[in-house]
Coordinates of all heavy atoms in Angstrom, one line a residue:
M1 N 0.5 -15.7 -1.7 CA 0.2 -14.4 -1.2 C 1.4 -13.6 -0.9 O 1.3 -12.4 -1.0 CB -0.7 -14.6 0.1 CG -2.1 -14.9 -0.2 SD -3.2 -14.8 1.2 CE -3.1 -16.4 1.9
A2 N 2.5 -14.2 -0.5 CA 3.7 -13.4 -0.2 C 4.2 -12.8 -1.5 O 4.7 -11.7 -1.4 CB 4.7 -14.3 0.4
S3 N 4.1 -13.5 -2.6 CA 4.6 -12.9 -3.8 C 3.7 -11.7 -4.2 O 4.2 -10.7 -4.8 CB 4.6 -14.0 -5.0 OG 3.3 -14.5 -5.2
A4 N 2.4 -11.7 -4.0 CA 1.6 -10.6 -4.2 C 2.0 -9.4 -3.3 O 2.0 -8.3 -3.8 CB 0.1 -10.9 -4.0
G5 N 2.3 -9.7 -2.1 CA 2.8 -8.6 -1.2 C 4.1 -8.0 -1.7 O 4.3 -6.8 -1.6
L6 N 5.0 -8.9 -2.1 CA 6.3 -8.4 -2.7 C 6.0 -7.6 -3.9 O 6.7 -6.6 -4.2 CB 7.2 -9.6 -2.9 CG 7.8 -10.2 -1.7 CD1 8.6 -11.4 -2.1 CD2 8.6 -9.2 -0.9
G7 N 5.1 -8.0 -4.7 CA 4.7 -7.3 -5.9 C 4.2 -5.9 -5.6 O 4.5 -4.9 -6.3
L8 N 3.4 -5.8 -4.6 CA 2.9 -4.5 -4.2 C 4.0 -3.6 -3.7 O 4.0 -2.4 -3.9 CB 1.8 -4.6 -3.1 CG 0.5 -5.1 -3.6 CD1 -0.5 -5.5 -2.4 CD2 -0.2 -4.1 -4.5
V9 N 4.9 -4.1 -2.9 CA 6.1 -3.3 -2.5 C 6.9 -2.9 -3.6 O 7.4 -1.7 -3.7 CB 6.9 -4.2 -1.5 CG1 8.3 -3.5 -1.1 CG2 6.2 -4.4 -0.2
W10 N 7.1 -3.8 -4.6 CA 7.8 -3.4 -5.9 C 7.1 -2.3 -6.6 O 7.8 -1.3 -7.1 CB 8.0 -4.6 -6.7 CG 8.7 -4.4 -8.0 CD1 10.1 -4.1 -8.1 CD2 8.2 -4.3 -9.3 NE1 10.4 -3.9 -9.5 CE2 9.2 -4.0 -10.2 CE3 6.9 -4.5 -9.8 CZ2 9.0 -3.9 -11.6 CZ3 6.7 -4.4 -11.2 CH2 7.8 -4.1 -12.0
L11 N 5.8 -2.3 -6.7 CA 5.0 -1.3 -7.4 C 5.2 0.0 -6.6 O 5.2 1.1 -7.2 CB 3.6 -1.7 -7.5 CG 3.2 -2.7 -8.6 CD1 1.8 -3.1 -8.5 CD2 3.6 -2.2 -9.9
A12 N 5.2 0.0 -5.3 CA 5.4 1.2 -4.5 C 6.7 1.8 -4.7 O 6.9 3.0 -4.9 CB 5.2 0.9 -3.0
A13 N 7.8 1.0 -4.8 CA 9.1 1.5 -5.1 C 9.2 2.1 -6.5 O 9.8 3.1 -6.7 CB 10.1 0.3 -5.0
L14 N 8.5 1.5 -7.5 CA 8.5 2.0 -8.8 C 7.8 3.4 -8.8 O 8.2 4.3 -9.5 CB 7.7 1.1 -9.8 CG 8.5 0.0 -10.4 CD1 7.6 -0.9 -11.3 CD2 9.7 0.5 -11.2
R15 N 6.7 3.5 -8.1 CA 5.9 4.8 -8.0 C 6.8 5.9 -7.4 O 6.9 7.0 -7.9 CB 4.7 4.6 -7.2 CG 3.9 5.9 -7.0 CD 2.6 5.7 -6.5 NE 1.6 5.2 -7.4 CZ 0.9 6.0 -8.3 NH1 1.1 7.2 -8.3 NH2 0.1 5.4 -9.1
R16 N 7.6 5.5 -6.4 CA 8.5 6.5 -5.8 C 9.5 6.9 -6.7 O 9.8 8.1 -6.8 CB 9.1 5.8 -4.5 CG 10.0 6.7 -3.8 CD 10.4 6.1 -2.5 NE 11.2 7.0 -1.7 CZ 12.5 6.8 -1.5 NH1 13.2 5.8 -1.9 NH2 13.2 7.7 -0.8
R17 N 10.1 6.0 -7.5 CA 11.1 6.3 -8.5 C 10.6 7.2 -9.6 O 11.2 8.2 -9.9 CB 11.7 5.1 -9.1 CG 13.0 5.4 -9.9 CD 13.5 4.1 -10.5 NE 12.7 3.9 -11.8 CZ 12.7 2.8 -12.4 NH1 13.4 1.7 -12.0 NH2 12.0 2.7 -13.6
F18 N 9.4 6.9 -10.1 CA 8.8 7.7 -11.1 C 8.5 9.1 -10.6 O 8.6 10.1 -11.4 CB 7.5 7.0 -11.6 CG 7.7 5.8 -12.4 CD1 6.7 4.8 -12.5 CD2 8.9 5.5 -13.1 CE1 6.9 3.6 -13.2 CE2 9.1 4.4 -13.8 CZ 8.1 3.4 -13.8
A19 N 8.0 9.2 -9.4 CA 7.7 10.5 -8.8 C 9.0 11.4 -8.7 O 9.0 12.6 -9.0 CB 7.0 10.4 -7.5
K20 N 10.1 10.7 -8.2 CA 11.4 11.5 -8.1 C 11.9 11.9 -9.5 O 12.4 13.0 -9.6 CB 12.4 10.6 -7.4 CG 12.1 10.5 -5.9 CD 13.2 9.9 -5.2 CE 12.9 9.9 -3.7 NZ 14.0 10.1 -2.9
E21 N 11.7 11.0 -10.5 CA 12.2 11.4 -11.8 C 11.3 12.5 -12.4 O 11.9 13.4 -13.0 CB 12.1 10.2 -12.8 CG 13.1 9.1 -12.5 CD 12.9 7.9 -13.3 OE1 11.9 7.8 -14.1 OE2 13.7 6.9 -13.2
A22 N 10.0 12.5 -12.1 CA 9.2 13.6 -12.6 C 9.5 14.9 -11.9 O 9.5 16.0 -12.5 CB 7.7 13.2 -12.3
A23 N 9.8 14.8 -10.6 CA 10.2 16.0 -9.9 C 11.5 16.6 -10.4 O 11.7 17.8 -10.5 CB 10.3 15.7 -8.4
A24 N 12.4 15.7 -10.7 CA 13.7 16.1 -11.3 C 13.5 16.8 -12.6 O 14.3 17.8 -13.0 CB 14.7 15.0 -11.4
R25 N 12.5 16.4 -13.4 CA 12.2 17.1 -14.7 C 11.4 18.4 -14.5 O 11.1 19.1 -15.5 CB 11.4 16.1 -15.6 CG 12.2 15.0 -16.1 CD 11.4 14.2 -17.2 NE 10.1 13.8 -16.8 CZ 9.9 12.6 -16.2 NH1 10.8 11.7 -16.1 NH2 8.6 12.2 -15.9
G26 N 11.0 18.6 -13.3 CA 10.2 19.8 -13.0 C 8.7 19.7 -13.1 O 8.0 20.7 -13.1
E27 N 8.2 18.4 -13.2 CA 6.8 18.2 -13.3 C 6.2 18.2 -11.9 O 6.7 17.6 -11.0 CB 6.5 16.9 -14.0 CG 7.0 16.8 -15.5 CD 6.8 15.4 -16.1 OE1 6.0 14.6 -15.5 OE2 7.3 15.2 -17.1
A28 N 5.1 18.8 -11.8 CA 4.4 18.9 -10.5 C 3.3 17.8 -10.5 O 2.7 17.5 -11.6 CB 3.8 20.2 -10.3
P29 N 3.0 17.2 -9.4 CA 1.9 16.2 -9.3 C 0.6 17.0 -9.6 O 0.4 18.2 -9.4 CB 1.9 15.7 -7.9 CG 2.7 16.7 -7.1 CD 3.6 17.4 -8.1
P30 N -0.4 16.2 -10.2 CA -1.7 16.9 -10.4 C -2.3 17.3 -9.1 O -2.2 16.7 -8.1 CB -2.5 15.8 -11.1 CG -1.8 14.5 -10.7 CD -0.4 14.8 -10.5
P31 N -3.0 18.5 -9.2 CA -3.6 19.0 -7.9 C -4.8 18.1 -7.5 O -5.5 17.6 -8.3 CB -4.1 20.4 -8.3 CG -4.3 20.3 -9.8 CD -3.3 19.4 -10.3
L32 N -5.0 18.0 -6.2 CA -6.2 17.3 -5.7 C -7.3 18.3 -5.6 O -7.2 19.5 -5.4 CB -5.9 16.8 -4.3 CG -5.0 15.5 -4.1 CD1 -4.8 15.2 -2.7 CD2 -5.7 14.4 -4.8
H33 N -8.5 17.7 -5.8 CA -9.7 18.5 -5.5 C -9.8 18.9 -4.1 O -9.4 18.1 -3.2 CB -11.0 17.7 -5.9 CG -12.2 18.5 -6.0 ND1 -13.0 18.7 -4.8 CD2 -12.8 19.2 -7.0 CE1 -14.0 19.5 -5.1 NE2 -14.0 19.8 -6.4
P34 N -10.2 20.1 -3.7 CA -10.2 20.5 -2.3 C -10.9 19.6 -1.4 O -10.5 19.5 -0.2 CB -10.8 21.9 -2.3 CG -10.6 22.4 -3.7 CD -10.6 21.2 -4.6
S35 N -11.9 18.9 -1.9 CA -12.7 18.0 -1.0 C -11.9 16.7 -0.7 O -12.2 16.0 0.2 CB -14.0 17.7 -1.6 OG -13.9 17.0 -2.8
L36 N -10.9 16.5 -1.5 CA -10.1 15.2 -1.3 C -8.9 15.4 -0.4 O -8.2 14.4 0.0 CB -9.7 14.6 -2.6 CG -10.8 14.1 -3.5 CD1 -10.3 13.6 -4.8 CD2 -11.6 13.0 -2.8
V37 N -8.5 16.7 -0.2 CA -7.3 16.9 0.6 C -7.4 16.3 2.0 O -6.4 15.7 2.5 CB -7.0 18.5 0.7 CG1 -5.8 18.8 1.6 CG2 -6.6 18.9 -0.7
P38 N -8.5 16.5 2.8 CA -8.5 15.9 4.1 C -8.5 14.3 4.0 O -7.8 13.7 4.9 CB -9.9 16.3 4.7 CG -10.2 17.5 3.9 CD -9.6 17.4 2.6
L39 N -9.1 13.8 3.0 CA -9.1 12.3 2.9 C -7.7 11.8 2.6 O -7.3 10.8 3.0 CB -10.0 11.9 1.7 CG -10.2 10.4 1.5 CD1 -10.8 9.8 2.8 CD2 -11.1 10.2 0.3
A40 N -6.9 12.6 1.8 CA -5.5 12.2 1.5 C -4.7 12.2 2.7 O -3.7 11.5 2.8 CB -5.0 13.1 0.4
D41 N -5.0 13.1 3.6 CA -4.2 13.2 4.9 C -4.6 12.1 5.9 O -3.7 11.6 6.5 CB -4.4 14.6 5.5 CG -3.8 15.7 4.6 OD1 -2.9 15.4 3.8 OD2 -4.2 16.9 4.8
I42 N -5.8 11.9 6.0 CA -6.3 11.0 7.1 C -6.5 9.5 6.6 O -6.5 8.6 7.4 CB -7.6 11.5 7.8 CG1 -7.8 10.8 9.1 CG2 -8.8 11.4 6.9 CD1 -6.8 11.1 10.2
G43 N -6.7 9.3 5.3 CA -7.0 8.0 4.8 C -6.0 7.0 5.0 O -6.3 5.9 5.6
P44 N -4.7 7.2 4.6 CA -3.7 6.1 4.7 C -3.5 5.7 6.2 O -3.4 4.5 6.4 CB -2.5 6.8 4.1 CG -3.0 7.7 3.1 CD -4.2 8.3 3.7
P45 N -3.4 6.6 7.2 CA -3.2 6.0 8.5 C -4.4 5.2 9.0 O -4.2 4.2 9.7 CB -3.1 7.3 9.4 CG -2.7 8.3 8.5 CD -3.3 8.0 7.1
I46 N -5.6 5.5 8.6 CA -6.8 4.7 8.9 C -6.7 3.3 8.3 O -6.9 2.3 8.9 CB -8.1 5.4 8.6 CG1 -8.3 6.6 9.5 CG2 -9.3 4.5 8.7 CD1 -9.4 7.5 9.1
I47 N -6.3 3.3 7.0 CA -6.2 2.0 6.3 C -5.1 1.2 6.9 O -5.3 0.0 7.1 CB -5.9 2.3 4.8 CG1 -7.1 2.9 4.1 CG2 -5.5 1.0 4.0 CD1 -6.9 3.4 2.7
V48 N -3.9 1.8 7.2 CA -2.8 1.0 7.8 C -3.2 0.5 9.2 O -2.9 -0.7 9.5 CB -1.5 1.9 7.9 CG1 -0.5 1.2 8.7 CG2 -1.0 2.2 6.5
F49 N -3.9 1.3 9.9 CA -4.4 0.8 11.2 C -5.4 -0.4 11.0 O -5.3 -1.4 11.8 CB -5.1 1.9 12.0 CG -5.7 1.4 13.3 CD1 -4.9 1.1 14.4 CD2 -7.1 1.3 13.5 CE1 -5.4 0.7 15.6 CE2 -7.6 0.8 14.7 CZ -6.7 0.5 15.7
G50 N -6.3 -0.3 10.1 CA -7.2 -1.4 9.8 C -6.4 -2.7 9.3 O -6.8 -3.8 9.7
L51 N -5.4 -2.5 8.5 CA -4.6 -3.7 8.1 C -3.9 -4.3 9.3 O -3.7 -5.5 9.4 CB -3.5 -3.2 7.1 CG -4.1 -2.8 5.7 CD1 -3.0 -2.2 4.9 CD2 -4.8 -3.9 5.1
F52 N -3.4 -3.4 10.2 CA -2.7 -3.9 11.5 C -3.7 -4.7 12.3 O -3.4 -5.8 12.8 CB -2.2 -2.7 12.3 CG -1.5 -3.1 13.5 CD1 -0.2 -3.7 13.5 CD2 -2.2 -3.0 14.7 CE1 0.4 -4.1 14.7 CE2 -1.6 -3.3 15.9 CZ -0.3 -3.9 15.9
V53 N -4.9 -4.2 12.5 CA -5.9 -4.9 13.2 C -6.3 -6.3 12.5 O -6.4 -7.3 13.2 CB -7.2 -4.1 13.4 CG1 -8.4 -4.8 14.0 CG2 -6.9 -2.9 14.3
A54 N -6.5 -6.2 11.2 CA -6.8 -7.5 10.5 C -5.7 -8.5 10.6 O -5.9 -9.7 10.8 CB -7.1 -7.1 9.0
G55 N -4.4 -8.0 10.5 CA -3.3 -9.0 10.7 C -3.3 -9.6 12.1 O -3.0 -10.7 12.3
G56 N -3.5 -8.7 13.1 CA -3.5 -9.2 14.5 C -4.6 -10.2 14.7 O -4.4 -11.2 15.4
Q57 N -5.8 -9.9 14.1 CA -6.9 -10.9 14.3 C -6.6 -12.2 13.6 O -7.0 -13.3 14.1 CB -8.2 -10.2 13.8 CG -8.8 -9.2 14.6 CD -10.0 -8.5 14.0 OE1 -10.3 -8.6 12.8 NE2 -10.8 -7.9 14.9
A58 N -6.0 -12.1 12.4 CA -5.7 -13.3 11.7 C -4.7 -14.2 12.4 O -4.8 -15.4 12.5 CB -5.2 -13.0 10.3
A59 N -3.7 -13.5 13.0 CA -2.6 -14.2 13.7 C -3.2 -14.8 15.0 O -2.9 -16.0 15.3 CB -1.5 -13.3 14.0
L60 N -4.1 -14.1 15.7 CA -4.7 -14.6 16.9 C -5.6 -15.8 16.6 O -5.5 -16.8 17.3 CB -5.5 -13.5 17.6 CG -6.1 -13.9 18.9 CD1 -5.0 -14.2 19.9 CD2 -7.0 -12.8 19.4
A61 N -6.4 -15.7 15.5 CA -7.3 -16.8 15.2 C -6.5 -18.0 14.8 O -6.8 -19.1 15.1 CB -8.2 -16.3 14.0
F62 N -5.4 -17.8 14.1 CA -4.5 -18.9 13.7 C -3.9 -19.6 14.9 O -3.9 -20.8 15.0 CB -3.4 -18.4 12.8 CG -2.5 -19.5 12.3 CD1 -2.8 -20.2 11.1 CD2 -1.3 -19.8 13.0 CE1 -1.9 -21.2 10.7 CE2 -0.5 -20.8 12.5 CZ -0.8 -21.5 11.4
L63 N -3.5 -18.8 15.8 CA -2.8 -19.4 17.0 C -3.9 -20.1 17.9 O -3.6 -21.1 18.5 CB -2.1 -18.3 17.8 CG -0.9 -17.7 17.1 CD1 -0.3 -16.6 18.0 CD2 0.2 -18.8 16.9
L64 N -5.1 -19.5 18.0 CA -6.1 -20.1 18.9 C -6.7 -21.4 18.3 O -7.1 -22.3 19.0 CB -7.2 -19.1 19.2 CG -6.9 -17.9 20.0 CD1 -8.0 -17.0 20.2 CD2 -6.4 -18.4 21.4
T65 N -6.7 -21.5 16.9 CA -7.3 -22.7 16.3 C -6.3 -23.6 15.8 O -6.6 -24.7 15.2 CB -8.2 -22.2 15.1 OG1 -7.5 -21.6 14.2 CG2 -9.4 -21.3 15.6
G66 N -5.0 -23.2 15.9 CA -4.0 -24.1 15.3 C -4.0 -24.1 13.8 O -3.7 -25.1 13.2
G67 N -4.5 -23.1 13.2 CA -4.6 -23.0 11.8 C -5.8 -23.7 11.2 O -6.0 -23.9 10.0
G68 N -6.7 -24.2 12.1 CA -7.9 -24.9 11.7 C -7.6 -26.2 11.1 O -8.4 -26.8 10.5
G69 N -6.3 -26.7 11.2 CA -5.9 -28.0 10.6 C -5.8 -27.9 9.1 O -5.5 -28.9 8.5
V70 N -5.9 -26.8 8.5 CA -5.8 -26.6 7.1 C -4.7 -25.7 6.7 O -4.0 -26.0 5.7 CB -7.2 -26.0 6.5 CG1 -7.1 -25.8 5.0 CG2 -8.3 -26.9 6.9
F71 N -4.5 -24.6 7.4 CA -3.5 -23.6 7.0 C -2.2 -23.8 7.8 O -2.2 -24.2 8.9 CB -4.0 -22.2 7.4 CG -5.3 -21.9 6.6 CD1 -6.5 -21.8 7.3 CD2 -5.3 -21.6 5.3 CE1 -7.7 -21.6 6.6 CE2 -6.4 -21.4 4.6 CZ -7.6 -21.3 5.3
S72 N -1.1 -23.6 7.1 CA 0.2 -23.7 7.7 C 0.7 -22.3 8.1 O 0.1 -21.3 7.8 CB 1.2 -24.3 6.7 OG 1.5 -23.4 5.7
M73 N 1.9 -22.3 8.8 CA 2.5 -21.1 9.2 C 2.9 -20.2 7.9 O 2.9 -19.0 8.0 CB 3.7 -21.4 10.0 CG 4.2 -20.2 10.8 SD 3.1 -19.5 11.9 CE 3.4 -20.4 13.4
F74 N 3.2 -20.9 6.8 CA 3.5 -20.2 5.6 C 2.3 -19.5 5.0 O 2.5 -18.4 4.5 CB 4.1 -21.2 4.5 CG 5.4 -21.8 4.9 CD1 5.6 -23.1 5.2 CD2 6.5 -21.0 4.9 CE1 6.8 -23.6 5.5 CE2 7.8 -21.5 5.2 CZ 7.9 -22.8 5.6
D75 N 1.1 -20.0 5.2 CA -0.1 -19.3 4.8 C -0.3 -18.1 5.6 O -0.6 -17.0 5.0 CB -1.3 -20.2 4.9 CG -1.3 -21.4 4.0 OD1 -0.8 -21.2 2.8 OD2 -1.7 -22.5 4.4
L76 N -0.1 -18.2 6.9 CA -0.2 -17.0 7.7 C 0.8 -15.9 7.4 O 0.5 -14.8 7.3 CB -0.1 -17.4 9.2 CG -0.1 -16.2 10.2 CD1 -1.5 -15.5 10.1 CD2 0.2 -16.7 11.6
A77 N 2.1 -16.4 7.2 CA 3.1 -15.4 6.8 C 2.9 -14.8 5.5 O 3.1 -13.6 5.3 CB 4.5 -16.2 6.8
G78 N 2.3 -15.5 4.5 CA 2.0 -15.0 3.2 C 0.9 -14.0 3.3 O 0.9 -12.9 2.7
F79 N -0.1 -14.2 4.1 CA -1.2 -13.3 4.3 C -0.7 -12.0 5.0 O -1.1 -10.9 4.6 CB -2.3 -13.9 5.2 CG -3.5 -13.0 5.4 CD1 -4.3 -12.7 4.4 CD2 -3.8 -12.5 6.7 CE1 -5.4 -11.8 4.6 CE2 -4.8 -11.7 6.9 CZ -5.7 -11.3 5.8
L80 N 0.1 -12.2 6.0 CA 0.6 -11.0 6.7 C 1.5 -10.2 5.7 O 1.5 -8.9 5.8 CB 1.4 -11.4 8.0 CG 0.5 -12.0 9.0 CD1 1.4 -12.4 10.2 CD2 -0.6 -11.1 9.5
A81 N 2.3 -10.9 4.9 CA 3.1 -10.2 3.9 C 2.3 -9.4 2.9 O 2.6 -8.3 2.5 CB 4.0 -11.2 3.2
L82 N 1.1 -10.0 2.5 CA 0.2 -9.3 1.6 C -0.4 -8.1 2.3 O -0.4 -7.0 1.7 CB -0.9 -10.3 1.2 CG -2.0 -9.7 0.3 CD1 -1.4 -9.3 -1.0 CD2 -3.1 -10.7 0.1
L83 N -0.8 -8.1 3.5 CA -1.3 -7.0 4.2 C -0.2 -5.9 4.4 O -0.4 -4.7 4.2 CB -1.8 -7.3 5.6 CG -3.0 -8.2 5.7 CD1 -3.3 -8.5 7.2 CD2 -4.2 -7.6 5.0
F84 N 1.0 -6.3 4.7 CA 2.2 -5.4 4.7 C 2.4 -4.7 3.4 O 2.6 -3.5 3.3 CB 3.4 -6.1 5.2 CG 4.6 -5.2 5.2 CD1 4.8 -4.2 6.2 CD2 5.6 -5.3 4.2 CE1 5.9 -3.4 6.2 CE2 6.7 -4.5 4.2 CZ 6.9 -3.5 5.2
G85 N 2.4 -5.5 2.3 CA 2.7 -4.9 1.0 C 1.6 -3.9 0.6 O 1.9 -2.9 0.0
Y86 N 0.3 -4.2 0.9 CA -0.8 -3.3 0.6 C -0.6 -2.0 1.4 O -0.9 -0.9 0.9 CB -2.1 -4.0 0.9 CG -3.3 -3.1 0.5 CD1 -3.5 -2.8 -0.8 CD2 -4.1 -2.5 1.5 CE1 -4.6 -2.0 -1.2 CE2 -5.1 -1.7 1.1 CZ -5.4 -1.4 -0.2 OH -6.4 -0.6 -0.6
G87 N -0.2 -2.1 2.7 CA 0.0 -0.9 3.5 C 1.1 0.0 2.9 O 1.0 1.2 2.8
V88 N 2.2 -0.6 2.5 CA 3.3 0.1 1.8 C 2.8 0.8 0.5 O 3.1 1.9 0.2 CB 4.5 -0.8 1.6 CG1 5.6 -0.1 0.7 CG2 5.1 -1.2 2.9
W89 N 2.1 0.0 -0.3 CA 1.6 0.5 -1.5 C 0.6 1.7 -1.3 O 0.7 2.7 -2.1 CB 0.9 -0.6 -2.3 CG 0.3 -0.2 -3.6 CD1 1.0 0.0 -4.8 CD2 -1.0 0.2 -3.9 NE1 0.1 0.4 -5.8 CE2 -1.1 0.5 -5.2 CE3 -2.2 0.2 -3.1 CZ2 -2.3 0.9 -5.8 CZ3 -3.4 0.6 -3.7 CH2 -3.4 0.9 -5.1
V90 N -0.3 1.6 -0.4 CA -1.2 2.7 -0.1 C -0.4 4.0 0.3 O -0.7 5.1 -0.2 CB -2.2 2.3 1.0 CG1 -2.9 3.5 1.5 CG2 -3.2 1.4 0.4
K91 N 0.5 3.8 1.2 CA 1.3 5.0 1.6 C 2.1 5.6 0.5 O 2.1 6.8 0.3 CB 2.3 4.6 2.7 CG 1.7 4.1 4.0 CD 1.1 5.3 4.8 CE 2.2 5.9 5.6 NZ 1.8 7.0 6.5
A92 N 2.7 4.8 -0.4 CA 3.4 5.3 -1.5 C 2.5 5.9 -2.6 O 2.9 6.9 -3.2 CB 4.2 4.2 -2.2
K93 N 1.3 5.4 -2.7 CA 0.4 5.9 -3.7 C 0.0 7.4 -3.3 O -0.2 8.2 -4.2 CB -0.9 5.0 -3.7 CG -1.9 5.4 -4.7 CD -1.8 4.6 -6.0 CE -3.0 4.8 -6.8 NZ -2.7 4.6 -8.2
V94 N -0.2 7.6 -2.0 CA -0.6 9.0 -1.6 C 0.6 9.9 -1.5 O 0.5 11.1 -1.9 CB -1.3 8.9 -0.2 CG1 -1.6 10.3 0.3 CG2 -2.6 8.1 -0.4
A95 N 1.7 9.4 -1.0 CA 2.9 10.3 -0.8 C 3.6 10.7 -2.1 O 4.1 11.7 -2.2 CB 3.9 9.6 0.1
H96 N 3.5 9.8 -3.1 CA 4.2 10.0 -4.4 C 3.2 10.0 -5.5 O 3.1 9.0 -6.3 CB 5.3 9.0 -4.6 CG 6.3 8.9 -3.5 ND1 7.2 9.9 -3.3 CD2 6.5 8.0 -2.5 CE1 7.9 9.6 -2.2 NE2 7.5 8.4 -1.8
R97 N 2.5 11.1 -5.7 CA 1.5 11.2 -6.7 C 2.2 11.6 -8.0 O 3.0 12.5 -8.1 CB 0.4 12.2 -6.4 CG -0.4 11.9 -5.2 CD -1.6 12.8 -4.9 NE -1.1 14.2 -4.8 CZ -1.5 15.2 -5.6 NH1 -2.3 14.9 -6.6 NH2 -1.0 16.4 -5.4
V98 N 1.8 10.9 -9.1 CA 2.4 11.2 -10.4 C 1.2 11.2 -11.4 O 0.2 10.6 -11.2 CB 3.4 10.1 -10.9 CG1 4.6 10.1 -10.0 CG2 2.8 8.7 -10.8
R99 N 1.5 11.9 -12.5 CA 0.5 12.0 -13.6 C 0.5 10.7 -14.3 O 1.6 10.2 -14.7 CB 0.8 13.2 -14.5 CG -0.3 13.6 -15.4 CD 0.1 14.8 -16.2 NE 0.3 16.0 -15.4 CZ -0.7 16.8 -14.9 NH1 -2.0 16.5 -15.3 NH2 -0.5 17.8 -14.2
T100 N -0.6 10.1 -14.5 CA -0.7 8.7 -15.1 C -1.0 8.8 -16.6 O -1.1 7.8 -17.3 CB -1.7 7.9 -14.4 OG1 -3.0 8.5 -14.5 CG2 -1.3 7.6 -13.0
Y101 N -1.2 10.0 -17.1 CA -1.5 10.2 -18.5 C -0.8 11.5 -19.0 O -0.4 12.3 -18.2 CB -3.1 10.3 -18.7 CG -3.7 11.5 -18.0 CD1 -3.8 12.8 -18.6 CD2 -4.1 11.4 -16.7 CE1 -4.3 13.8 -17.9 CE2 -4.7 12.5 -16.0 CZ -4.8 13.7 -16.6 OH -5.3 14.7 -16.0
R102 N -0.7 11.5 -20.3 CA -0.1 12.7 -20.9 C -1.2 13.6 -21.5 O -2.0 13.0 -22.3 CB 0.9 12.3 -22.0 CG 2.0 11.5 -21.5 CD 3.1 12.3 -20.9 NE 4.1 11.5 -20.4 CZ 5.1 11.9 -19.6 NH1 5.1 13.1 -19.3 NH2 6.0 11.1 -19.2
G103 N -1.3 14.8 -21.1 CA -2.4 15.6 -21.7 C -2.4 17.0 -21.3 O -1.8 17.5 -20.5

């Protein structure tokens, strides 16, 4: 799971780089539909808060049950890294919009 989290962080860094390269070429990001503008502003913080809560609940459940006798600390760390990577990816996806097609 940690490798998936690192992969998401890498994809977020690539998106940021592609957006900066597109801006240097003078390309503008595609416009959002007016009904999606509020969602683009409020959506990522809500998602990140949800990921924070889910990570806290997972860590608390792990600590209270001792991992249930099945999971190790590495499993918990991998899950938390996956949640962190997803949060970074969501923020980068909204902050650095790029055109995904030529047309």
Side-chain angles (χ1 to χ4, degrees):
M1 281 191 269
S3 61
L6 289 175
L8 286 170
V9 170
W10 180 72
L11 287 174
L14 277 179
R15 176 169 285 275
R16 182 174 185 249
R17 188 181 85 196
F18 291 153
K20 286 189 177 217
E21 289 172 358
R25 290 190 305 267
E27 296 177 14
L32 282 177
H33 189 274
S35 65
L36 294 177
V37 172
L39 184 62
D41 292 337
I42 195 69
I46 291 172
I47 292 172
V48 170
F49 178 73
L51 294 172
F52 179 77
V53 169
Q57 287 178 340
L60 183 65
F62 181 87
L63 294 174
L64 291 177
T65 63
V70 178
F71 300 107
S72 70
M73 193 63 86
F74 291 112
D75 294 322
L76 177 63
F79 180 69
L80 296 177
L82 179 64
L83 293 179
F84 174 78
Y86 184 67
V88 169
W89 179 80
V90 164
K91 295 284 281 186
K93 182 98 170 154
V94 173
H96 304 288
R97 294 183 308 115
V98 294
R99 193 174 299 274
T100 57
Y101 61 89
R102 301 279 178 191

